[in-house]
Amino acid sequence: MKYIFVTGAPGSKWSSVIKNIYYSPDIDRSDYREEWTYYHDASGEMQLMHLGAYFDPGMACPLPEDLTVLTREQLEETFAYPFQSQESQGIRIIKSHIFSNHIDYLRKLFPEIPIVIVSRGDDACLGWWVKCGHFNITYPDYRDYFKDLKNMASIIKSQNLAIRQARAKHWAKSVEDNHDLCLQLGIDMPPREYKQNYQDNDIEVGIL
């Protein structure tokens, strides 16, 4: 398995889902940069929550809003850009908000790659994203593509709807916690300190 695709709307807590599998020994972490990190205390404790490459319009690793203009080869060139290691050094987590609107296209181009989908209610997403820093979040940069709060709310609603539809259409496998996620993905567990129960965190996670 070359990649794990992950998608969720802003504020879905998808970054926490990613962080809690990122330190599996099977994951290629060569996309890590100090400048590609963001700490926040929305949970009541200052923690590293955003790390590694984010693939979205206007972000450090840009993708077009319409993924269907790109071939598999062109997407793989984009995915390779932020990683400093050779491909044999691990599975690459490729995360993008806009994947949510292109799940059928990803399934067509990459039928062998699992897609982890993360969702919460629209209001919960918007509220959490605002609590995490709003447009003052330093990484990733949400300003160019998401523009303002009204546009952010609209995009969150669209992406959550697309994820719910994909969950039903593709019979997503439900996941209880990060250890269950590792088990279903077929990767080794991260170190013991990385533990996350999705129900306790008000997150719904599935695998397509």
Side-chain angles (χ1 to χ4, degrees):
M1 183 168 62
K2 190 173 183 179
Y3 306 118
I4 296 168
F5 294 153
V6 186
T7 191
S12 63
K13 299 187 179 180
W14 73 317
S15 289
S16 69
V17 172
I18 295 160
K19 186 186 81 169
N20 285 296
I21 65 169
Y22 188 74
Y23 292 96
S24 163
D26 291 324
I27 297 300
D28 181 345
R29 296 187 295 279
S30 66
D31 63 333
Y32 182 90
R33 318 267 198 287
E34 284 296 325
E35 63 270 27
W36 287 359
T37 62
Y38 179 68
Y39 291 75
H40 67 71
D41 60 356
S43 65
E45 179 184 354
M46 186 64 72
Q47 293 181 326
L48 172 62
M49 294 308 302
H50 297 170
L51 73 171
Y54 284 75
F55 296 85
D56 269 298
M59 293 187 178
C61 303
L63 283 174
E65 186 173 1
D66 182 5
L67 286 188
T68 65
V69 303
L70 299 178
T71 65
R72 174 171 174 143
E73 291 73 23
Q74 289 170 322
L75 282 169
E76 293 209 80
E77 286 181 12
T78 301
F79 297 160
Y81 156 70
F83 291 91
Q84 300 174 10
S85 71
Q86 296 299 314
E87 292 183 9
S88 61
Q89 289 187 243
I91 299 165
R92 295 176 171 179
I93 296 175
I94 309 296
K95 52 186 180 290
S96 172
H97 293 300
I98 63 166
F99 280 177
S100 59
N101 299 114
H102 297 89
I103 287 172
D104 285 347
Y105 190 61
L106 291 172
R107 287 261 60 80
K108 177 182 176 182
L109 293 189
F110 299 91
E112 77 283 11
I113 301 302
I115 304 175
V116 178
I117 53 174
V118 183
S119 60
R120 303 174 73 211
D122 298 344
D123 291 343
C125 283
L126 185 61
W128 184 255
W129 180 81
V130 168
K131 190 174 183 180
C132 291
H134 205 272
F135 283 102
N136 293 321
I137 292 171
T138 56
Y139 182 78
D141 189 342
Y142 287 93
R143 292 170 295 181
D144 286 350
Y145 179 67
F146 293 90
K147 295 182 175 32
D148 55 42
L149 201 58
K150 182 178 179 180
N151 196 49
M152 173 63 81
S154 176
I155 292 173
I156 285 173
K157 183 176 181 179
S158 170
Q159 292 179 347
N160 276 332
L161 175 61
I163 287 171
R164 288 194 299 270
Q165 290 173 337
R167 177 183 290 276
K169 179 178 180 179
H170 296 282
W171 296 85
K173 300 174 184 176
S174 294
V175 188
E176 294 183 3
D177 54 33
N178 66 315
H179 284 192
D180 186 23
L181 181 58
C182 287
L183 184 65
Q184 294 202 42
L185 291 171
I187 62 176
D188 284 342
M189 304 296 181
R192 194 173 295 178
E193 63 264 30
Y194 295 98
K195 296 177 67 176
Q196 184 182 32
N197 182 281
Y198 301 138
Q199 185 174 6
D200 291 347
N201 280 255
D202 184 32
I203 314 172
E204 191 171 8
V205 179
I207 303 177
L208 306 177

